[in-house]
Amino acid sequence: MGKLTWRWIVILLVIFGWSISLWPPTDRDFLQTMETQAKKEGQKPDAKFEEIINRARVIMSENSSISPMKAVANAADELHIELSNYIPIYGRDMPSNQEVLQYVRRLSRGKLRLGLDLSGGTEFVVAFSEDDMPEDRSVGDIQDQLMEIIRNRVDKSGVLEPEIVPYGPTGISVKIPTIDEDDTNKFKELLTRAAVLEFRMVHPESGDFEQLERERQQEDPDYVHQVLGYERKVHEYDMKGQSRREVLWLSTEEQKLSGQNITDAHPTAGEFGQLQIAFTLDTEGAIAFGELTGANVGQRMAIVLDGTVYSAPNINDRIGGGRGVITGSFTQDEASQLAIVLKSGNLPVQTRLEGVNMTAPTLGIESIRSGAMAAVVGIILVILFMVTYYFRSGVIATIALVLNMLIVMGTLPILDATITLPGLAGIVLTIGMAVDANVLIFERIREELKTGKSIQNAISRGYSSAFSTILDANLTTLFTAFILVKFGSGPIKGFGVTLSIGIIASMFTALFVTRTIYDTLLKYDLIHKLRMMQFLEPGHVRFFDYRKLAYLVSAGFILLALITIVVRGGSALSVDFRGGTAISFQYEETVSNQQIAKTLEQNEQLGVRDVRVNYKSSTLKEGRLMEVVVTKQFSDEVDPGTLIAGIINAAHPEMKARVASVELVGAMVGSQFTWSAIKAVILALIMIIIYIAIRFEFSYAIGAVVCLAHDVIIGLGIYLMWGFGDRQISLTVIAAILTIIGYSLNDTIVVFDRIRENVGLLRKTNFAEICSISINQTLSRTILTSLTTLLVVVILYLFGGGAINDFSLIMMVGIVVGTYSSIFVATPVMIYIQTRVMHKKSLLAEGASTSKTPA
């Protein structure tokens, strides 16, 4: 087979593989999936299997709140049937009914997982008692540590982007995107399990003590043997399918080793295929583990987690290296969850679950519908524009764009990631970069055709000329995305994940897929002419001559933006950054989130600019709940619940809102989150400077970074001034700012790459003139890319409500400012530094020449 055939095989495999990863996009019926899977495994369902399914349906009809998975489990228990007889699991001998049901649940679950803002989810309220706290710790310290451990545990379960905030004096609210009943139970344990791991020596005479105890209990049933310095524990385990039980006496002597020393833990298969948890200790733990095992060779050591003995192996030799395993009768889910809690560290205090609430989408149903419709319309307009402007090449670009979206959406389920508004920000940037890559190639092909080259040579030269530009533009943004994924958390990490996937996908589709289509058309002689419209011919504008005016314009906007940011101060920050007061109401009739928020934000007596409204159904209180969070902590003289209830009922009497509870909530963006975000941005900027300095020169790197700072400051300032200063900075806005950085950087690199190319071609031309020529040559591409991305963003701004409107506004401003700055800021700054460097080199050369001249 030829190279072209292999390229098509790769493309088809990608389409097939990523389509499979997306299927099914939404949840399938659990019972139907179970029946289908039983038939697929070659196990013909018999009367008993049908009886299980029918009994499960009866159980669900009798209790509407029970899940299909729970109903099948109850039916199988009632009928004493092993589900593994009908649905085997590869690699597992005689899996339990629970394991089979979990396997079917994974098969029936939809692959596209939406975040809290788009689909709602479940809120867990976790609390602790001040009586359980260590004497040397404050409530705030304990609350902060608990939040960090809980965030680690949830983050290690997938890219879920949870909302975790302080709730009341000793509580924490943890909101997780939509999960089913089984996952709810899993997270209940995940959030409250202490995960205290101990390594305790077993008394060598434990068996004799147990025999003595049994003998004495024949005379006195209440007798319990006591061993000084040891604690009695029952070890239950499985051996060759048989349940066993033994009594062990474990040393109560305090060890230097604990679960805090664990740096990594993951499920693995044992010698006979059973699941176990392998763990790795830090240096201090490895030394202590080596000393403990070395001093007790020949004895038994119990591995105890949260008071339960999981295994008690013999120590045959000193164990160095800080590695070990925990064995037990684990299912796959249990092993994975146990590994997560071990890796995240044990909780500093005992916690309890105070409530579980089902929450509606935080964006509101109306905002989601309007935003989704606007996004679809925007993308359709982009496609129509590309096809109209580039004709056949536009169709090829559209195919690449559709495949790009398939790869992005298909990769998210593979990473177990959720789709949120910040994630969609990364997808919008991806669309812009995918279109930009195709525009770069098409404009290069146009240039080659104008020189009289054949179509085949023009296409070949177009791709080779555009390759370095696309590579540089995408790699610099990819470095940023990787840093955000590595060091960011929550929405910042989600943005980085979707952006990383999108960049790789856009490079594959633009450089590989479209070229394959072109080569196929050429091979079969299906293309004889490439028609392309051209609105803007390359001009001869001396952009560098306008630098002083541009400096004044930029300086004015920067000054105005900084003044706005300083004047707004804390009022510019939303609930995400400031926290506030959360009031829960019981109500009769539902009114949309947006209407309630607008009513409260416009009330002068309340005096708040950012109101979050979310509907819940509580497991602890009767009726439905509506939670209102405002960026304000009220004085003792004001009852916030009564005040807000009065405002709501006056505007919407049909609601009949009644106060259920009032709590203080902390900022979603805590100090740890803020520091990780700052660290991620700083590292990303350093990586950008290093890469551009290596690929270009240091002056180019400084020009790019100055341009980024310029765009962020002005973009944020204009956003905060918009609408008479009612806008606030939220996590959604931060995601939009990161998108602006990526967009601006991409725009700047395209111009710099053409300058670098022309420096080699126009050796006798003045450097500033070369820069003007390069900007003129890339101007049509800059305007086309900005226009296509603006099509999507403007429609989102006009028809998207709430946070979608905020996101699209700052994106809209950022695209305009970024287009301007790549021409009038980045390049002039680079020219200034470059000419200064060249001038210094010239002076040094003259000085060296003078020193060598004889006096």
Side-chain angles (χ1 to χ4, degrees):
M1 289 187 289
K3 289 183 179 179
L4 192 59
T5 304
W6 279 112
R7 283 153 64 187
W8 275 112
I9 289 173
V10 170
I11 293 170
L12 292 174
L13 285 175
V14 168
I15 294 172
F16 177 76
W18 267 258
S19 298
I20 291 295
S21 73
L22 265 176
W23 187 261
T26 57
D27 290 349
R28 291 185 289 188
D29 182 88
F30 183 87
L31 297 180
Q32 287 182 0
T33 304
M34 193 168 179
E35 290 178 309
T36 302
Q37 194 62 27
K39 294 174 183 176
K40 187 184 294 184
E41 294 292 346
Q43 309 292 325
K44 186 178 179 181
D46 55 17
K48 286 187 176 181
F49 183 83
E50 294 298 331
E51 191 177 358
I52 293 174
I53 300 297
N54 293 333
R55 178 57 188 149
R57 289 196 171 99
V58 170
I59 291 172
M60 290 166 62
S61 66
E62 293 173 349
N63 183 356
S64 59
S65 64
I66 197 167
S67 69
M69 181 174 167
K70 185 70 175 175
V72 173
N74 292 347
D77 287 344
E78 287 179 19
L79 300 170
H80 306 290
I81 295 174
E82 294 292 332
L83 296 175
S84 59
N85 293 329
Y86 303 97
I87 304 176
I89 301 176
Y90 179 75
R92 296 285 290 156
D93 293 330
M94 298 296 293
S96 66
N97 282 356
Q98 184 67 17
E99 287 180 281
V100 173
L101 291 171
Q102 288 173 349
Y103 172 67
V104 175
R105 181 172 61 88
R106 284 194 290 269
L107 294 175
S108 65
R109 176 179 285 170
K111 297 299 178 65
L112 286 181
R113 301 181 62 179
L114 301 179
L116 287 163
D117 48 1
L118 299 175
S119 71
T122 305
E123 178 189 40
F124 301 88
V125 180
V126 179
F128 62 94
S129 172
E130 294 188 41
D131 296 336
D132 297 333
M133 288 172 42
E135 294 181 1
D136 59 339
R137 301 286 301 277
S138 68
V139 173
D141 286 343
I142 294 292
Q143 203 171 37
D144 287 345
Q145 186 181 355
L146 278 174
M147 285 178 61
E148 184 61 23
I149 292 172
I150 286 172
R151 185 178 296 281
N152 285 336
R153 289 185 179 184
V154 177
D155 281 348
K156 285 178 173 63
S157 299
V159 190
L160 296 177
E161 299 186 40
E163 288 185 10
I164 303 174
V165 297
Y167 193 82
T170 60
I172 296 167
S173 168
V174 183
K175 293 179 181 176
I176 295 169
T178 302
I179 51 178
D180 57 25
E181 180 185 6
D182 192 63
D183 276 339
T184 299
N185 294 328
K186 181 184 79 172
F187 276 106
K188 283 179 182 178
E189 184 177 1
L190 192 69
L191 297 174
T192 57
R193 186 165 188 169
V196 176
L197 182 67
E198 301 170 282
F199 302 90
R200 298 168 64 179
M201 300 311 303
V202 180
H203 197 291
E205 298 179 41
S206 287
D208 296 335
F209 292 149
E210 184 180 3
Q211 178 63 29
L212 174 64
E213 185 174 279
R214 282 200 297 268
E215 292 172 357
R216 293 288 298 273
Q217 282 178 347
Q218 292 177 354
E219 303 172 6
D220 180 6
D222 296 327
Y223 174 78
V224 177
H225 188 67
Q226 300 293 325
V227 182
L228 187 63
Y230 286 82
E231 178 187 12
R232 183 182 186 275
K233 285 281 184 183
V234 176
H235 175 213
E236 296 180 349
Y237 59 99
D238 183 83
M239 179 176 285
K240 296 181 180 179
Q242 299 294 320
S243 296
R244 300 292 179 88
R245 177 182 180 278
E246 66 175 336
V247 176
L248 302 175
W249 271 263
L250 307 183
S251 172
T252 55
E253 181 182 350
E254 187 175 347
Q255 299 290 344
K256 298 177 183 177
L257 189 63
S258 73
Q260 297 286 13
N261 297 115
I262 292 180
T263 58
D264 187 32
H266 58 272
T268 184
E271 184 180 356
F272 301 104
Q274 76 279 13
L275 286 170
Q276 57 190 30
I277 295 94
F279 62 85
T280 305
L281 301 167
D282 58 18
T283 304
E284 181 184 345
I287 293 170
F289 196 51
E291 291 176 351
L292 178 66
T293 54
N296 294 281
V297 173
Q299 299 185 46
R300 294 178 72 187
M301 179 180 69
I303 299 177
V304 184
L305 181 65
D306 291 338
T308 299
V309 179
Y310 276 85
S311 58
N314 283 309
I315 302 174
N316 298 321
D317 200 355
R318 180 183 182 279
I319 303 174
R323 297 178 183 274
V325 294
I326 302 172
T327 59
S329 301
F330 304 119
T331 65
Q332 181 64 51
D333 284 2
E334 288 170 344
S336 299
Q337 188 161 325
L338 185 55
I340 287 170
V341 296
L342 286 172
K343 211 167 6 179
S344 305
N346 53 276
L347 302 180
V349 292
Q350 187 67 42
T351 60
R352 64 183 183 278
L353 197 64
E354 287 205 332
V356 180
N357 306 312
M358 305 306 294
T359 68
T362 55
L363 283 180
I365 299 298
E366 291 179 11
S367 290
I368 293 170
R369 285 175 181 167
S370 62
M373 183 60 67
V376 170
V377 171
I379 291 171
I380 290 173
L381 286 177
V382 169
I383 291 171
L384 288 175
F385 176 82
M386 291 294 289
V387 172
T388 304
Y389 193 80
Y390 286 111
F391 297 99
R392 184 179 299 186
S393 296
V395 174
I396 294 172
T398 300
I399 294 170
L401 183 61
V402 171
L403 182 54
N404 189 316
M405 297 305 298
L406 172 65
I407 293 172
V408 173
M409 303 304 288
T411 306
L412 291 175
I414 295 172
L415 299 178
D416 202 19
T418 54
I419 303 172
T420 62
L421 189 56
L424 291 176
I427 293 174
V428 168
L429 179 55
T430 294
I431 293 171
M433 295 187 74
V435 170
D436 181 53
N438 285 291
V439 169
L440 278 168
I441 293 167
F442 297 161
E443 291 300 313
R444 283 291 197 165
I445 292 173
R446 186 205 303 276
E447 291 177 15
E448 298 298 334
L449 287 171
K450 282 186 175 181
T451 64
K453 289 187 175 65
S454 66
I455 290 179
Q456 184 169 354
N457 287 334
I459 290 172
S460 179
R461 286 288 301 162
Y463 273 91
S464 60
S465 299
F467 176 78
S468 63
T469 306
I470 294 170
L471 182 68
D472 288 331
N474 282 279
L475 280 183
T476 46
T477 312
L478 191 61
F479 287 143
T480 307
F482 279 163
I483 295 293
L484 295 178
V485 172
K486 180 66 177 176
F487 297 99
S489 59
I492 304 298
K493 185 174 183 178
F495 172 84
V497 168
T498 51
L499 182 56
S500 301
I501 300 166
I503 292 168
I504 296 169
S506 65
M507 289 181 69
F508 171 74
T509 55
L511 296 172
F512 187 83
V513 175
T514 59
R515 181 64 188 272
T516 302
I517 296 173
Y518 271 129
D519 287 349
T520 303
L521 294 174
L522 289 169
K523 180 179 179 179
Y524 293 100
D525 198 25
L526 297 174
I527 184 170
H528 303 96
K529 188 177 181 181
L530 279 181
R531 293 174 58 206
M532 298 181 187
M533 294 177 66
Q534 187 166 18
F535 294 148
L536 187 65
E537 290 279 353
H540 303 283
V541 181
R542 293 176 58 85
F543 290 99
F544 190 61
D545 293 344
Y546 300 98
R547 66 188 183 281
K548 292 182 179 179
L549 177 61
Y551 289 158
L552 286 174
V553 171
S554 293
F557 273 105
I558 288 172
L559 182 61
L560 192 60
L562 291 175
I563 290 172
T564 302
I565 293 168
V566 171
V567 170
R568 290 287 306 273
S571 67
L573 300 176
S574 71
V575 172
D576 295 343
F577 292 88
R578 295 170 61 194
T581 305
I583 307 100
S584 293
F585 299 93
Q586 293 178 328
Y587 62 95
E588 299 295 330
E589 297 292 332
T590 301
V591 176
S592 75
N593 310 49
Q594 288 175 263
Q595 286 181 275
I596 299 294
K598 188 175 181 180
T599 297
L600 296 175
E601 287 169 352
Q602 291 178 344
N603 187 276
E604 294 182 2
Q605 182 185 3
L606 185 60
V608 293
R609 283 176 171 159
D610 182 40
V611 177
R612 305 289 173 88
V613 180
N614 191 25
Y615 285 99
K616 300 179 178 180
S617 56
S618 174
T619 58
L620 298 183
K621 299 181 178 69
E622 291 185 3
R624 301 164 297 175
L625 293 176
M626 176 185 69
E627 182 184 65
V628 175
V629 182
V630 295
T631 51
K632 188 173 183 178
Q633 295 187 4
F634 297 85
S635 62
D636 295 336
E637 292 77 26
V638 178
D639 181 356
T642 303
L643 173 62
I644 293 175
I647 296 169
I648 292 173
N649 289 328
H652 310 284
E654 69 276 17
M655 284 203 73
K656 299 179 183 177
R658 306 177 303 280
V659 180
S661 65
V662 179
E663 294 284 356
L664 292 177
V665 294
M668 191 193 307
V669 182
S671 57
Q672 184 68 29
F673 182 97
T674 304
W675 168 239
S676 67
I678 292 171
K679 183 167 65 173
V681 171
I682 291 172
L683 285 172
L685 289 175
I686 292 171
M687 289 295 293
I688 289 168
I689 291 172
I690 292 172
Y691 181 81
I692 297 177
I694 292 172
R695 287 286 290 162
F696 298 86
E697 290 185 35
F698 185 70
S699 58
Y700 289 74
I702 298 302
V705 171
V706 169
C707 182
L708 294 183
H710 169 277
D711 294 351
V712 169
I713 293 171
I714 293 180
L716 191 57
I718 293 176
Y719 167 79
L720 291 175
M721 286 186 279
W722 202 277
F724 306 102
D726 288 333
R727 305 276 178 170
Q728 290 187 307
I729 302 171
S730 63
L731 284 172
T732 301
V733 172
I734 295 298
I737 290 171
L738 291 171
T739 310
I740 290 172
I741 291 174
Y743 190 88
S744 175
L745 186 61
N746 186 66
D747 226 13
T748 303
I749 292 296
V750 170
V751 176
F752 283 179
D753 201 84
R754 183 59 72 97
I755 293 171
R756 179 181 60 183
E757 180 183 336
N758 284 335
V759 166
L761 297 174
L762 308 172
R763 295 183 182 276
K764 295 181 180 180
T765 308
N766 176 273
F767 185 67
E769 183 65 26
I770 291 174
C771 292
S772 285
I773 292 170
S774 301
I775 293 172
N776 277 286
Q777 289 174 338
T778 57
L779 191 59
S780 61
R781 166 261 154 210
T782 300
I783 292 173
L784 283 172
T785 303
S786 299
L787 184 61
T788 51
T789 312
L790 272 173
L791 277 174
V792 180
V793 174
V794 169
I795 291 173
L796 282 174
Y797 174 73
L798 293 174
F799 300 104
I804 293 175
N805 184 267
D806 287 341
F807 163 75
S808 53
L809 170 60
I810 197 165
M811 275 292 297
M812 194 167 60
V813 172
I815 290 169
V816 174
V817 174
T819 303
Y820 157 84
S821 65
S822 64
I823 299 170
F824 292 104
V825 177
T827 305
V829 169
M830 181 271 292
I831 292 173
Y832 175 76
I833 297 172
Q834 185 76 355
T835 50
R836 295 268 298 185
V837 170
M838 291 170 67
H839 181 63
K840 284 184 178 180
K841 286 181 179 179
S842 177
L843 289 176
L844 288 172
E846 288 179 11
S849 176
T850 303
S851 65
K852 291 178 182 179
T853 303

